[in-house]
Structures are given as C-alpha cells and as structure tokens.
Amino acid sequence: MSYKIAIDGPASAGKSTIAKLLSKELGYVYIDTGAMYRALAVFLLENEIDINDEILIKKNIENVNIDIDIEYINGEQVVKLNGKNVNKKIRSSQVSDAASKISVFKCVRDKLLVLQRKLANEQNCVMDGRDIASNVIPDANLKIFLTASLDCRANRRYKEYIKKGFKTTLDETKKEIKERDNRDINRANNPLIKVSDAHLLDTTNMDIDEVLDKILEMSTGGFDNGN
Ligand code: DC
C-alpha cells in the first residue's frame, strides 16, 4: 500500500510549491492534478472547442490522452497532451480560467479521475488539487487544506506571472483568482471543500520553510490540528 498525502486548497495557496518540496524531502512522487485539467483546457482551446459546451467537450475528449511523466525535467514534472510536453502552455491566465471552467463538467472530472487514482495507488505520493481528500484519495494518510488570504495569494500569483513574462496587473490577477475560487467552491461536481479530518494550514504569515516543517511534523504524527 502506498503512503498518500493529499493537499487541497484555493488557487495560488502555494500547494504545488509545497507539494514539490515535500515530495523531494520524503522521496515521494508529486502529482499535480491541476496540470491535468490545464492540459485538457489547452487541447480544447487549441482546437477551438467551446469550453462552455459540455456535450461538445464530452464528444471531443474521449480519445484525448493526458499523462504525467513523473520523472522531473529541469525540476518540473512533465505534463503530456497526446504524447507532447505542454508544460510551457499550461500556466497562462487564459488556461487557468479555462481549466476552472471545464472542471465543472462530470465528463472532464471522470476522465481525469481514472488517471489520478491509478497514479496515486502505484507509489508513495503527494497529490494536490481541489478534491483530492474528498474524492480522489479519501483514504489518504495525511490530508492538508492549505490556504492564505486573497491578497496574499494574488500577490504571489502576480509575481509569478510577471516572472514568466505574462502581461497583467495585480488587480486583474486578484479578480481572476476570486472568480476561479468561486467557481471551484460552488460547482456541483466535487467542489473544493475542507474535509473534517484535514489539517487546516493558513500560510498568510508563514514562509515556505515554516510551512514545510509544519507538514513534515504532521506526516510523522507529531501535530495536533485541534479538530
Ligand atoms: O491547481 P490549479 O490552479 O493548477 O488548477 C486549475 C483548475 O483546475 C482549478 O481552478 C480547478 C481545476 N481543478 C479541479 O477542479 N480539481 C483538481 N483536483 C485540480 C484542479
């Protein structure tokens, strides 16, 4: 049986940063489920398929192949869309928005769930997303709900966008995150929730080393979350 750590939380809470560090520290595989939704969004955008049309999406994604290469290249997990590395395409604000929009559809979630569960059961892993503890691996050994204030998350994401050369403003970034959170929390299918046995970690006033230490403490069972 593999040891599984589930990290859920709103957009830009630092889930992937911490999941990467944690998996490195523990020698586990990191599985970024958001990247799978993003890759499928890239497919739909590139093929000009209406991202609001569930019937059309269902028909078109049947034979699409999404995969994750868990071998890291330049410190990054490789996300493959029909065998091609799409890492460079998945982080834009347009793809973030589209990934959130298509993730409301059951056909999209069902397709990716199969891959997510398969990967999680094959090896010790740290998996992050929105419905990991509630739906993908409810049997996870450690569940964390990672969050931070909206301003803090918007600032972090804005800095990332600027570093990557995307043109945007802090206000636009904040608006994008807020809209995405609302959609992810309020959708009918597997919305973002904190399950009762998840540890709540608000990282607003924490640096990354503190967050990592806290989670490592939890993973060895030395943390009382007060629930
Ligand atoms: O974690 P992320 O920002 O890369 O995710 C992009 C979008 O994908 C997110 O806004 C909602 C969707 N998503 C989801 O619905 N369920 C997951 N487990 C992961 C992501």
Side-chain angles (χ1 to χ4, degrees):
M1 274 273 273
S2 58
Y3 191 95
K4 306 178 194 88
I5 300 180
I7 304 182
D8 291 297
S12 305
K15 299 184 297 294
S16 66
T17 308
I18 201 68
K20 268 184 217 166
L21 290 170
L22 192 60
S23 55
K24 204 170 164 199
E25 185 74 26
L26 296 170
Y28 291 5
V29 158
Y30 166 47
I31 306 168
D32 176 355
T33 62
M36 300 176 190
Y37 288 91
R38 287 168 180 270
L40 210 48
V42 168
F43 171 82
L44 297 169
L45 292 172
E46 286 187 341
N47 288 283
E48 295 180 8
I49 295 158
D50 182 354
I51 55 165
N52 299 302
D53 187 334
E54 185 174 9
I55 294 169
L56 201 59
I57 292 177
K58 189 171 183 187
K59 216 165 80 188
N60 279 279
I61 63 172
E62 225 164 85
N63 298 316
V64 175
N65 190 264
I66 306 284
D67 210 355
I68 297 264
D69 226 338
I70 49 179
E71 296 299 326
Y72 281 62
I73 295 185
N74 298 328
E76 260 196 296
Q77 162 201 279
V78 174
V79 189
K80 287 184 174 162
L81 168 61
N82 290 330
K84 287 205 177 115
N85 179 344
V86 286
N87 279 26
K88 286 209 168 72
K89 296 180 177 175
I90 62 171
R91 298 290 162 200
S92 70
S93 131
Q94 188 198 15
V95 172
S96 303
D97 181 62
S100 169
K101 283 184 176 150
I102 64 165
S103 72
V104 304
F105 299 130
K106 191 171 180 307
C107 62
V108 169
R109 308 201 68 81
D110 285 351
K111 182 178 178 75
L112 298 178
L113 182 64
V114 176
L115 172 64
Q116 291 161 3
R117 285 208 177 130
K118 177 176 169 284
L119 288 170
N121 286 319
E122 277 172 359
Q123 60 242 311
N124 294 336
C125 67
V126 181
M127 182 177 261
D128 77 343
R130 304 292 185 289
D131 63 336
I132 309 307
S134 61
N135 179 48
V136 183
I137 43 170
D139 60 334
N141 305 76
L142 176 65
K143 300 171 186 175
I144 293 156
F145 191 89
L146 201 71
T147 190
S149 71
L150 177 63
D151 280 334
C152 170
R153 291 185 289 121
N155 263 309
R156 288 178 189 163
R157 181 52 52 100
Y158 175 65
K159 281 184 195 153
E160 253 176 59
Y161 279 157
I162 296 303
K163 210 168 148 190
K164 289 198 168 107
F166 297 139
K167 285 202 168 57
T168 186
T169 63
L170 179 59
D171 276 353
E172 267 175 50
T173 309
K174 193 167 164 179
K175 188 166 167 265
E176 173 211 306
I177 287 178
K178 209 171 160 184
E179 276 176 14
R180 208 143 64 87
D181 284 350
N182 277 337
R183 202 179 299 117
D184 296 346
I185 290 166
N186 294 310
R187 68 178 176 228
N189 296 311
N190 315 120
L192 168 67
I193 53 159
K194 178 195 167 296
V195 293
S196 60
D197 55 342
H199 300 270
L200 175 68
L201 205 50
D202 184 332
T203 68
T204 308
N205 297 309
M206 290 170 87
D207 68 29
I208 199 75
D209 290 332
E210 284 176 300
V211 180
L212 183 63
D213 283 350
K214 205 92 188 163
I215 298 180
L216 284 171
E217 218 177 292
M218 292 172 188
S219 72
T220 53
F223 185 81
D224 175 9
N225 71 353
N227 283 342

Tab-separated table of all heavy atoms in Angstrom, residues 1-7 22-23 26 28-31 116-128 132-133 135-144 197 199 215 218-219:
chain	number	residue	atom	x	y	z
A	1	MET	N	0.844	-1.210	0.000
A	1	MET	CA	0.000	0.000	0.000
A	1	MET	C	0.874	1.252	0.000
A	1	MET	O	1.817	1.354	0.766
A	1	MET	CB	-0.875	0.016	1.262
A	1	MET	CG	-2.171	-0.743	1.106
A	1	MET	SD	-3.477	0.276	0.428
A	1	MET	CE	-4.125	1.022	1.918
A	2	SER	N	0.529	2.182	-0.863
A	2	SER	CA	1.336	3.402	-0.922
A	2	SER	C	0.920	4.375	0.186
A	2	SER	O	-0.207	4.341	0.670
A	2	SER	CB	1.186	4.058	-2.296
A	2	SER	OG	-0.162	4.340	-2.549
A	3	TYR	N	1.861	5.250	0.573
A	3	TYR	CA	1.562	6.317	1.542
A	3	TYR	C	1.170	7.552	0.742
A	3	TYR	O	1.896	7.971	-0.163
A	3	TYR	CB	2.792	6.609	2.412
A	3	TYR	CG	2.488	7.498	3.609
A	3	TYR	CD1	2.205	6.961	4.859
A	3	TYR	CD2	2.467	8.893	3.467
A	3	TYR	CE1	1.910	7.782	5.950
A	3	TYR	CE2	2.164	9.713	4.555
A	3	TYR	CZ	1.896	9.151	5.794
A	3	TYR	OH	1.601	9.955	6.863
A	4	LYS	N	0.004	8.108	1.049
A	4	LYS	CA	-0.508	9.198	0.221
A	4	LYS	C	-0.753	10.461	1.053
A	4	LYS	O	-1.376	10.400	2.111
A	4	LYS	CB	-1.834	8.804	-0.432
A	4	LYS	CG	-1.777	7.502	-1.205
A	4	LYS	CD	-3.171	7.178	-1.760
A	4	LYS	CE	-3.270	5.749	-2.241
A	4	LYS	NZ	-3.661	4.802	-1.187
A	5	ILE	N	-0.267	11.577	0.523
A	5	ILE	CA	-0.531	12.869	1.164
A	5	ILE	C	-1.399	13.696	0.210
A	5	ILE	O	-1.043	13.890	-0.960
A	5	ILE	CB	0.783	13.615	1.489
A	5	ILE	CG1	1.637	12.772	2.444
A	5	ILE	CG2	0.476	14.999	2.084
A	5	ILE	CD1	2.962	13.402	2.844
A	6	ALA	N	-2.541	14.155	0.714
A	6	ALA	CA	-3.459	14.950	-0.115
A	6	ALA	C	-3.388	16.413	0.303
A	6	ALA	O	-3.498	16.723	1.495
A	6	ALA	CB	-4.888	14.440	0.076
A	7	ILE	N	-3.178	17.302	-0.671
A	7	ILE	CA	-3.170	18.739	-0.366
A	7	ILE	C	-4.232	19.417	-1.226
A	7	ILE	O	-4.166	19.395	-2.459
A	7	ILE	CB	-1.789	19.378	-0.642
A	7	ILE	CG1	-0.693	18.646	0.134
A	7	ILE	CG2	-1.820	20.870	-0.283
A	7	ILE	CD1	0.706	19.240	-0.027
A	22	LEU	N	7.956	18.938	-0.455
A	22	LEU	CA	7.606	17.830	0.426
A	22	LEU	C	7.935	16.489	-0.226
A	22	LEU	O	8.513	15.590	0.408
A	22	LEU	CB	6.103	17.912	0.706
A	22	LEU	CG	5.514	17.064	1.808
A	22	LEU	CD1	6.151	17.412	3.142
A	22	LEU	CD2	4.000	17.290	1.889
A	23	SER	N	7.596	16.360	-1.495
A	23	SER	CA	7.843	15.084	-2.171
A	23	SER	C	9.344	14.837	-2.292
A	23	SER	O	9.817	13.709	-2.162
A	23	SER	CB	7.154	15.030	-3.535
A	23	SER	OG	7.543	16.119	-4.306
A	26	LEU	N	10.644	13.751	1.149
A	26	LEU	CA	10.212	12.413	1.566
A	26	LEU	C	10.570	11.321	0.558
A	26	LEU	O	10.383	10.141	0.822
A	26	LEU	CB	8.681	12.406	1.787
A	26	LEU	CG	8.144	13.299	2.906
A	26	LEU	CD1	6.625	13.388	2.837
A	26	LEU	CD2	8.570	12.776	4.278
A	28	TYR	N	8.994	10.984	-2.293
A	28	TYR	CA	7.719	10.573	-2.889
A	28	TYR	C	7.574	11.218	-4.267
A	28	TYR	O	8.291	12.148	-4.614
A	28	TYR	CB	6.527	11.043	-2.033
A	28	TYR	CG	6.368	10.367	-0.697
A	28	TYR	CD1	7.300	9.445	-0.223
A	28	TYR	CD2	5.268	10.653	0.110
A	28	TYR	CE1	7.132	8.843	1.011
A	28	TYR	CE2	5.100	10.048	1.344
A	28	TYR	CZ	6.042	9.148	1.799
A	28	TYR	OH	5.872	8.556	3.023
A	29	VAL	N	6.571	10.754	-4.998
A	29	VAL	CA	6.285	11.346	-6.295
A	29	VAL	C	5.259	12.474	-6.110
A	29	VAL	O	4.330	12.347	-5.308
A	29	VAL	CB	5.722	10.236	-7.225
A	29	VAL	CG1	4.924	10.824	-8.368
A	29	VAL	CG2	6.857	9.377	-7.742
A	30	TYR	N	5.450	13.565	-6.829
A	30	TYR	CA	4.493	14.667	-6.769
A	30	TYR	C	3.522	14.565	-7.944
A	30	TYR	O	3.947	14.465	-9.097
A	30	TYR	CB	5.230	16.012	-6.811
A	30	TYR	CG	4.314	17.194	-7.090
A	30	TYR	CD1	3.113	17.338	-6.408
A	30	TYR	CD2	4.645	18.155	-8.036
A	30	TYR	CE1	2.259	18.402	-6.674
A	30	TYR	CE2	3.810	19.225	-8.300
A	30	TYR	CZ	2.619	19.337	-7.614
A	30	TYR	OH	1.772	20.376	-7.881
A	31	ILE	N	2.242	14.586	-7.651
A	31	ILE	CA	1.242	14.515	-8.728
A	31	ILE	C	0.366	15.767	-8.697
A	31	ILE	O	-0.394	15.996	-7.751
A	31	ILE	CB	0.367	13.239	-8.599
A	31	ILE	CG1	1.267	11.988	-8.533
A	31	ILE	CG2	-0.604	13.137	-9.779
A	31	ILE	CD1	0.536	10.722	-8.109
A	116	GLN	N	-5.712	9.879	-12.116
A	116	GLN	CA	-5.270	10.335	-10.790
A	116	GLN	C	-5.226	9.185	-9.789
A	116	GLN	O	-4.255	9.010	-9.060
A	116	GLN	CB	-6.216	11.442	-10.296
A	116	GLN	CG	-6.081	12.720	-11.104
A	116	GLN	CD	-7.265	13.660	-10.962
A	116	GLN	OE1	-8.201	13.405	-10.209
A	116	GLN	NE2	-7.243	14.766	-11.688
A	117	ARG	N	-6.279	8.369	-9.770
A	117	ARG	CA	-6.316	7.247	-8.808
A	117	ARG	C	-5.255	6.209	-9.133
A	117	ARG	O	-4.617	5.657	-8.246
A	117	ARG	CB	-7.710	6.596	-8.816
A	117	ARG	CG	-8.722	7.463	-8.102
A	117	ARG	CD	-9.844	6.622	-7.513
A	117	ARG	NE	-10.754	7.491	-6.768
A	117	ARG	CZ	-12.073	7.487	-6.920
A	117	ARG	NH1	-12.644	6.659	-7.761
A	117	ARG	NH2	-12.824	8.299	-6.210
A	118	LYS	N	-5.054	5.970	-10.426
A	118	LYS	CA	-4.066	4.977	-10.850
A	118	LYS	C	-2.678	5.412	-10.359
A	118	LYS	O	-1.954	4.645	-9.732
A	118	LYS	CB	-4.091	4.857	-12.377
A	118	LYS	CG	-3.062	3.914	-12.951
A	118	LYS	CD	-3.241	3.800	-14.467
A	118	LYS	CE	-2.082	3.079	-15.110
A	118	LYS	NZ	-0.869	3.902	-15.237
A	119	LEU	N	-2.335	6.673	-10.615
A	119	LEU	CA	-1.018	7.181	-10.211
A	119	LEU	C	-0.846	7.126	-8.694
A	119	LEU	O	0.211	6.755	-8.190
A	119	LEU	CB	-0.830	8.621	-10.701
A	119	LEU	CG	-0.618	8.808	-12.210
A	119	LEU	CD1	-0.683	10.278	-12.585
A	119	LEU	CD2	0.728	8.225	-12.639
A	120	ALA	N	-1.900	7.497	-7.967
A	120	ALA	CA	-1.807	7.542	-6.501
A	120	ALA	C	-1.634	6.161	-5.890
A	120	ALA	O	-0.997	6.005	-4.855
A	120	ALA	CB	-3.045	8.208	-5.923
A	121	ASN	N	-2.212	5.164	-6.553
A	121	ASN	CA	-2.131	3.823	-5.982
A	121	ASN	C	-0.847	3.094	-6.341
A	121	ASN	O	-0.522	2.070	-5.752
A	121	ASN	CB	-3.363	3.002	-6.393
A	121	ASN	CG	-4.584	3.469	-5.624
A	121	ASN	OD1	-4.501	3.757	-4.425
A	121	ASN	ND2	-5.710	3.605	-6.305
A	122	GLU	N	-0.128	3.634	-7.306
A	122	GLU	CA	1.092	2.965	-7.760
A	122	GLU	C	2.312	3.248	-6.887
A	122	GLU	O	3.270	2.510	-6.906
A	122	GLU	CB	1.431	3.417	-9.184
A	122	GLU	CG	0.660	2.662	-10.244
A	122	GLU	CD	0.859	3.256	-11.628
A	122	GLU	OE1	1.575	4.273	-11.781
A	122	GLU	OE2	0.279	2.706	-12.557
A	123	GLN	N	2.303	4.381	-6.190
A	123	GLN	CA	3.518	4.777	-5.469
A	123	GLN	C	3.207	5.736	-4.316
A	123	GLN	O	2.122	6.311	-4.280
A	123	GLN	CB	4.483	5.481	-6.441
A	123	GLN	CG	3.917	6.737	-7.082
A	123	GLN	CD	3.809	6.639	-8.588
A	123	GLN	OE1	4.758	6.253	-9.222
A	123	GLN	NE2	2.660	6.998	-9.152
A	124	ASN	N	4.196	5.915	-3.427
A	124	ASN	CA	4.034	6.922	-2.385
A	124	ASN	C	3.968	8.269	-3.076
A	124	ASN	O	4.775	8.562	-3.955
A	124	ASN	CB	5.238	6.921	-1.442
A	124	ASN	CG	5.341	5.630	-0.652
A	124	ASN	OD1	4.348	4.930	-0.459
A	124	ASN	ND2	6.540	5.309	-0.197
A	125	CYS	N	3.007	9.099	-2.683
A	125	CYS	CA	2.862	10.352	-3.437
A	125	CYS	C	2.338	11.507	-2.602
A	125	CYS	O	1.725	11.325	-1.553
A	125	CYS	CB	1.944	10.137	-4.638
A	125	CYS	SG	0.251	9.795	-4.162
A	126	VAL	N	2.609	12.700	-3.124
A	126	VAL	CA	1.987	13.920	-2.625
A	126	VAL	C	1.152	14.410	-3.800
A	126	VAL	O	1.677	14.636	-4.885
A	126	VAL	CB	3.032	15.004	-2.271
A	126	VAL	CG1	2.331	16.251	-1.733
A	126	VAL	CG2	4.055	14.482	-1.273
A	127	MET	N	-0.166	14.506	-3.593
A	127	MET	CA	-1.045	14.902	-4.693
A	127	MET	C	-1.770	16.180	-4.312
A	127	MET	O	-2.273	16.298	-3.200
A	127	MET	CB	-2.042	13.766	-4.943
A	127	MET	CG	-2.984	14.013	-6.085
A	127	MET	SD	-4.064	12.580	-6.356
A	127	MET	CE	-3.252	11.764	-7.696
A	128	ASP	N	-1.809	17.155	-5.221
A	128	ASP	CA	-2.518	18.387	-4.878
A	128	ASP	C	-3.614	18.719	-5.885
A	128	ASP	O	-3.593	18.274	-7.023
A	128	ASP	CB	-1.546	19.562	-4.688
A	128	ASP	CG	-1.027	20.138	-5.988
A	128	ASP	OD1	-1.136	19.486	-7.026
A	128	ASP	OD2	-0.505	21.269	-5.963
A	132	ILE	N	-8.927	16.292	-3.758
A	132	ILE	CA	-8.053	15.133	-3.529
A	132	ILE	C	-8.501	14.343	-2.291
A	132	ILE	O	-8.730	13.139	-2.379
A	132	ILE	CB	-6.565	15.568	-3.397
A	132	ILE	CG1	-6.152	16.457	-4.585
A	132	ILE	CG2	-5.658	14.345	-3.292
A	132	ILE	CD1	-6.415	15.883	-5.945
A	133	ALA	N	-8.651	15.048	-1.164
A	133	ALA	CA	-9.047	14.336	0.058
A	133	ALA	C	-10.522	13.938	0.036
A	133	ALA	O	-10.904	12.914	0.587
A	133	ALA	CB	-8.767	15.213	1.277
A	135	ASN	N	-12.438	13.256	-2.675
A	135	ASN	CA	-12.908	12.409	-3.761
A	135	ASN	C	-11.842	11.492	-4.368
A	135	ASN	O	-12.085	10.307	-4.555
A	135	ASN	CB	-13.480	13.339	-4.856
A	135	ASN	CG	-13.985	12.596	-6.055
A	135	ASN	OD1	-14.729	11.629	-5.908
A	135	ASN	ND2	-13.589	13.024	-7.232
A	136	VAL	N	-10.679	12.039	-4.691
A	136	VAL	CA	-9.698	11.230	-5.435
A	136	VAL	C	-9.100	10.141	-4.545
A	136	VAL	O	-9.124	8.963	-4.886
A	136	VAL	CB	-8.581	12.120	-6.048
A	136	VAL	CG1	-7.617	11.263	-6.868
A	136	VAL	CG2	-9.167	13.225	-6.919
A	137	ILE	N	-8.547	10.550	-3.395
A	137	ILE	CA	-7.960	9.553	-2.476
A	137	ILE	C	-8.453	9.815	-1.037
A	137	ILE	O	-7.678	10.260	-0.183
A	137	ILE	CB	-6.408	9.523	-2.542
A	137	ILE	CG1	-5.803	10.957	-2.594
A	137	ILE	CG2	-5.926	8.704	-3.700
A	137	ILE	CD1	-4.278	10.991	-2.412
A	138	PRO	N	-9.744	9.535	-0.798
A	138	PRO	CA	-10.265	9.773	0.563
A	138	PRO	C	-9.554	8.921	1.619
A	138	PRO	O	-9.660	9.202	2.806
A	138	PRO	CB	-11.754	9.412	0.449
A	138	PRO	CG	-11.913	8.696	-0.838
A	138	PRO	CD	-10.770	9.047	-1.721
A	139	ASP	N	-8.791	7.913	1.156
A	139	ASP	CA	-8.039	7.063	2.088
A	139	ASP	C	-6.621	7.604	2.321
A	139	ASP	O	-5.772	6.910	2.885
A	139	ASP	CB	-7.944	5.628	1.543
A	139	ASP	CG	-7.240	5.557	0.181
A	139	ASP	OD1	-7.272	6.574	-0.554
A	139	ASP	OD2	-6.657	4.499	-0.144
A	140	ALA	N	-6.355	8.850	1.910
A	140	ALA	CA	-5.009	9.431	2.081
A	140	ALA	C	-4.574	9.359	3.546
A	140	ALA	O	-5.389	9.532	4.453
A	140	ALA	CB	-5.008	10.881	1.597
A	141	ASN	N	-3.279	9.135	3.754
A	141	ASN	CA	-2.759	9.004	5.118
A	141	ASN	C	-2.673	10.339	5.825
A	141	ASN	O	-2.758	10.425	7.044
A	141	ASN	CB	-1.365	8.366	5.081
A	141	ASN	CG	-1.372	7.058	4.341
A	141	ASN	OD1	-1.423	7.026	3.119
A	141	ASN	ND2	-1.354	5.961	5.075
A	142	LEU	N	-2.461	11.401	5.037
A	142	LEU	CA	-2.387	12.747	5.606
A	142	LEU	C	-3.120	13.703	4.670
A	142	LEU	O	-2.906	13.682	3.459
A	142	LEU	CB	-0.911	13.170	5.746
A	142	LEU	CG	-0.642	14.591	6.241
A	142	LEU	CD1	-1.124	14.773	7.677
A	142	LEU	CD2	0.862	14.925	6.170
A	143	LYS	N	-4.027	14.510	5.260
A	143	LYS	CA	-4.818	15.442	4.449
A	143	LYS	C	-4.568	16.865	4.933
A	143	LYS	O	-4.680	17.134	6.134
A	143	LYS	CB	-6.306	15.106	4.563
A	143	LYS	CG	-6.636	13.713	4.084
A	143	LYS	CD	-8.065	13.332	4.407
A	143	LYS	CE	-8.300	11.868	4.048
A	143	LYS	NZ	-9.620	11.389	4.447
A	144	ILE	N	-4.255	17.741	3.995
A	144	ILE	CA	-3.955	19.122	4.362
A	144	ILE	C	-4.815	20.059	3.532
A	144	ILE	O	-4.946	19.872	2.312
A	144	ILE	CB	-2.461	19.420	4.125
A	144	ILE	CG1	-1.635	18.603	5.117
A	144	ILE	CG2	-2.151	20.909	4.303
A	144	ILE	CD1	-0.256	18.337	4.675
A	197	ASP	N	-11.341	15.663	8.461
A	197	ASP	CA	-10.079	15.159	9.013
A	197	ASP	C	-8.841	15.765	8.343
A	197	ASP	O	-7.736	15.235	8.489
A	197	ASP	CB	-10.029	13.624	8.978
A	197	ASP	CG	-10.263	13.041	7.595
A	197	ASP	OD1	-10.796	13.758	6.726
A	197	ASP	OD2	-9.903	11.869	7.376
A	199	HIS	N	-5.980	18.756	8.026
A	199	HIS	CA	-5.334	19.793	8.837
A	199	HIS	C	-5.448	21.119	8.088
A	199	HIS	O	-5.058	21.198	6.926
A	199	HIS	CB	-3.841	19.498	9.020
A	199	HIS	CG	-3.532	18.215	9.703
A	199	HIS	ND1	-3.398	18.107	11.070
A	199	HIS	CD2	-3.312	16.973	9.213
A	199	HIS	CE1	-3.110	16.856	11.385
A	199	HIS	NE2	-3.055	16.149	10.277
A	215	ILE	N	4.300	20.641	7.948
A	215	ILE	CA	3.720	19.455	7.293
A	215	ILE	C	4.559	18.206	7.589
A	215	ILE	O	4.017	17.130	7.803
A	215	ILE	CB	3.550	19.683	5.770
A	215	ILE	CG1	2.587	20.851	5.537
A	215	ILE	CG2	3.011	18.423	5.096
A	215	ILE	CD1	2.336	21.194	4.092
A	218	MET	N	3.512	17.010	10.787
A	218	MET	CA	2.223	16.304	10.682
A	218	MET	C	2.415	14.905	10.126
A	218	MET	O	1.763	13.962	10.557
A	218	MET	CB	1.283	17.037	9.715
A	218	MET	CG	0.803	18.368	10.171
A	218	MET	SD	-0.069	19.119	8.772
A	218	MET	CE	-0.353	20.745	9.398
A	219	SER	N	3.319	14.784	9.145
A	219	SER	CA	3.469	13.487	8.492
A	219	SER	C	4.103	12.460	9.414
A	219	SER	O	3.979	11.262	9.202
A	219	SER	CB	4.254	13.610	7.186
A	219	SER	OG	5.600	13.862	7.469
